[in-house]
Amino acid sequence: MSVNFQLSDEQKLMQETAKDFAVNEIRPVAEHHDRDSIFPREIINKAWELGLMNTTIPEAYGGAELDFLSGSIIEEQLSWGCSGIATSIFTNGLASMPVELGGSEETKKKYLSQLIEEPKLASFCLTEPEAGSDVSSMKTTAVKKGDKYVLNGSKCFITNGSHADWYTVYAKTDPDAGHRGISAFVVEKDWGVVVDKKEDKLGQRASDTAMVSFSDVEVPAENLLGEENAGFKLAMMTLDRTRPGVAAMATGIQQASLDAAVDYAKERIQFGVPIAMHQAIQFMIADMATKLEASRLLYMKSAWLLDNGLRNSLVASHAKRFAADSAMETAVDAVQVFGGYGFIKEYPVEKFMRDAKIMQLYEGTSQIQRLVIAKETLAPSRDTVAV
Ligand code: COS
């Protein structure tokens, strides 16, 4: 078995393109979007034009069909620029994955092609007010009536929810069957999806997070994704494929925090020398750098497993958990390196700290990742591979 930590020329090019985009298009406006919680529509359109979003969509539907590793590398770089703007750009990947995995040929042609032909947005609607980590307790229902399903219920914390053209919605088709009674559907906004509320958030304020509801929304039966009552597995398989990217975004926040801390530590003079000369600061920088390195290796491995057709649930949870917790710790340490200035909005690190927190919450909390890790470690699935 060979191990190769070298990116391909194509991956290096994507990395450079994404870094340039983060430096030139995202960083200059990140503070403005954060302060006033302004949705980054124009930046999304530019990212779309450059091919930095919808990366996994197959060539058959007009997409670039990039490997998961390339997609994750892009996510790290854009998140370095601003993870709130990056979240807005990458949410299509979460919404479109269940379509890629479970959609019929017609559904894939219709909805995946749309995202490539125009800078349209899609949202992933799983979470409900009373069903967060416990997906199976969702209340939204889909009742079959003739050749349609009728949806009723509410979904919360929906990224891009106010701006999406279509939604991947999970609903109970057999309310008594627990996780085996959930189905997934593509629902177009114009069919009666109501945006109830836009959330005012601690961090990632550029991204849109909304509550959406369905009141007797009729969905054609052909918009069912996969088999009826197989939606829970579709959601889990989707999250296996998107968690490497979230870990990569958390890595981008770490790199941003470390860069800021290093620059400041070299400039700031205390006790007659730059504070970078003090061992107290050096040890913090060293720990930040080690966490960053380990997070990057973990997200890359979790993406590499997918690219090689191997099950990645365990490593994706390692990556998501470790990178998210490290992003929080590193951003807090960056504020510490800045001292009192770190607490002031004029400096960038307080934003990194606010933004990092969501990494431990969305797409499965750090506690849920530990549940997956414990389960896979105590009783490995048959197809969990040790690489
Ligand atoms: N891929 C495919 N199938 C999977 C899977 C995966 N990664 N993980 C679980 N499954 C299957 C299991 O094999 C099991 O199948 P059977 O019905 O054939 O027995 C089924 O799904 C249920 O699995 P499990 O018993 O592990 O489910 P739990 O109810 O214990 O829930 C957790 C598992 C908690 C890990 C899951 O609910 C979860 O990830 N919750 C967090 C959800 C989340 O990330 N929310 C954020 C919203 S998206 S922004």
Side-chain angles (χ1 to χ4, degrees):
M1 189 181 83
S2 68
V3 174
N4 182 359
F5 292 105
Q6 201 85 40
L7 297 183
S8 69
D9 288 345
E10 199 184 329
Q11 285 163 340
K12 277 191 209 148
L13 184 66
M14 293 309 300
Q15 189 179 41
E16 275 167 33
T17 308
K19 183 65 190 261
D20 286 349
F21 189 80
V23 169
N24 298 315
E25 303 289 345
I26 298 182
R27 268 291 169 94
V29 295
E31 193 219 329
H32 162 70
H33 283 270
D34 172 65
R35 190 184 50 234
D36 298 331
S37 192
I38 295 171
F39 189 65
R41 185 77 237 192
E42 280 178 19
I43 303 176
I44 293 172
N45 291 353
K46 284 184 191 169
W48 176 84
E49 268 167 36
L50 271 179
L52 294 173
M53 61 192 283
N54 303 314
T55 57
T56 58
I57 293 184
E59 284 176 0
Y61 312 106
E65 201 172 336
L66 292 187
D67 53 62
F68 285 94
L69 181 54
S70 300
S72 301
I73 289 167
I74 294 172
E75 294 195 46
E76 181 193 334
Q77 297 305 326
L78 299 202
S79 182
W80 174 90
C82 169
S83 64
I85 293 175
T87 290
S88 314
I89 290 171
F90 298 122
T91 293
N92 272 9
L94 178 64
S96 62
M97 187 52 68
V99 180
E100 284 184 39
L101 292 171
S104 66
E105 199 45 41
E106 291 72 38
T107 305
K108 287 197 262 196
K109 219 176 256 169
K110 182 169 179 191
Y111 293 103
L112 298 180
S113 306
Q114 268 186 24
L115 300 180
I116 300 298
E117 284 157 13
E118 281 176 73
K120 288 196 169 189
L121 296 177
S123 288
F124 183 81
C125 301
L126 184 68
T127 301
E128 297 185 4
E130 288 170 65
S133 297
D134 182 9
V135 173
S136 309
S137 65
M138 70 173 61
K139 302 269 189 307
T140 298
T141 53
V143 177
K144 186 132 192 228
K145 287 199 175 142
D147 59 356
K148 291 195 160 72
Y149 285 88
V150 180
L151 265 65
N152 280 288
S154 285
K155 297 284 174 180
C156 65
F157 306 149
I158 305 307
T159 307
N160 289 354
S162 319
H163 303 272
D165 297 287
W166 55 265
Y167 303 80
T168 308
V169 182
Y170 294 82
K172 283 272 170 82
T173 30
D174 184 350
D176 300 323
H179 73 265
R180 292 186 182 151
I182 295 170
S183 302
F185 304 88
V186 177
V187 182
E188 296 187 19
K189 184 173 210 164
D190 295 346
W191 294 343
V193 180
V194 173
V195 178
D196 295 311
K197 180 186 171 203
K198 183 188 159 170
E199 304 292 353
D200 185 11
K201 307 193 297 288
L202 171 75
Q204 293 211 346
R205 292 174 53 77
S207 75
D208 174 74
T209 306
M211 189 148 191
V212 298
S213 61
F214 312 88
S215 177
D216 287 333
V217 172
E218 293 187 349
V219 179
E222 66 259 25
N223 277 30
L224 172 72
L225 297 173
E227 300 286 309
E228 197 178 73
N229 296 325
F232 183 89
K233 279 196 190 178
L234 200 55
M236 293 302 122
M237 288 168 69
T238 296
L239 293 170
D240 282 349
R241 284 157 182 75
T242 54
R243 282 175 182 159
V246 178
M249 285 178 52
T251 305
I253 295 176
Q254 291 178 61
Q255 184 72 65
S257 302
L258 179 62
D259 290 351
V262 164
D263 288 349
Y264 186 78
K266 287 184 187 166
E267 261 167 32
R268 171 79 171 160
I269 310 286
Q270 288 293 277
F271 302 104
V273 291
I275 59 171
M277 302 288 283
H278 299 305
Q279 211 173 48
I281 299 294
Q282 289 175 2
F283 282 7
M284 284 166 78
I285 299 281
D287 285 350
M288 291 158 97
T290 304
K291 286 172 191 167
L292 170 65
E293 183 73 11
S295 297
R296 189 171 283 136
L297 289 173
L298 274 173
Y299 91 65
M300 287 186 165
K301 181 174 174 182
S302 65
W304 178 90
L305 285 165
L306 286 176
D307 290 331
N308 285 277
L310 300 167
R311 186 156 183 221
N312 77 332
S313 309
L314 172 61
V315 184
S317 283
H318 280 314
K320 163 68 169 70
R321 201 292 290 163
F322 186 79
D325 290 352
S326 297
M328 193 68 239
E329 292 158 12
T330 296
V332 168
D333 281 353
V335 170
Q336 194 68 23
V337 169
F338 273 69
Y341 291 111
F343 205 61
I344 308 286
K345 284 195 180 280
E346 212 178 309
Y347 293 85
V349 285
E350 63 83 33
K351 174 180 181 295
F352 301 150
M353 190 173 108
R354 288 185 286 106
D355 289 349
K357 187 62 209 170
I358 192 64
M359 293 291 158
Q360 296 176 300
L361 303 170
Y362 67 11
E363 295 206 28
T365 62
S366 291
Q367 286 67 33
I368 287 298
Q369 307 310 328
R370 285 180 175 88
L371 274 186
V372 174
I373 294 165
K375 198 168 181 178
E376 294 273 343
T377 304
L378 291 163
S381 314
R382 251 184 311 127
D383 49 354
T384 294
V385 281
V387 183

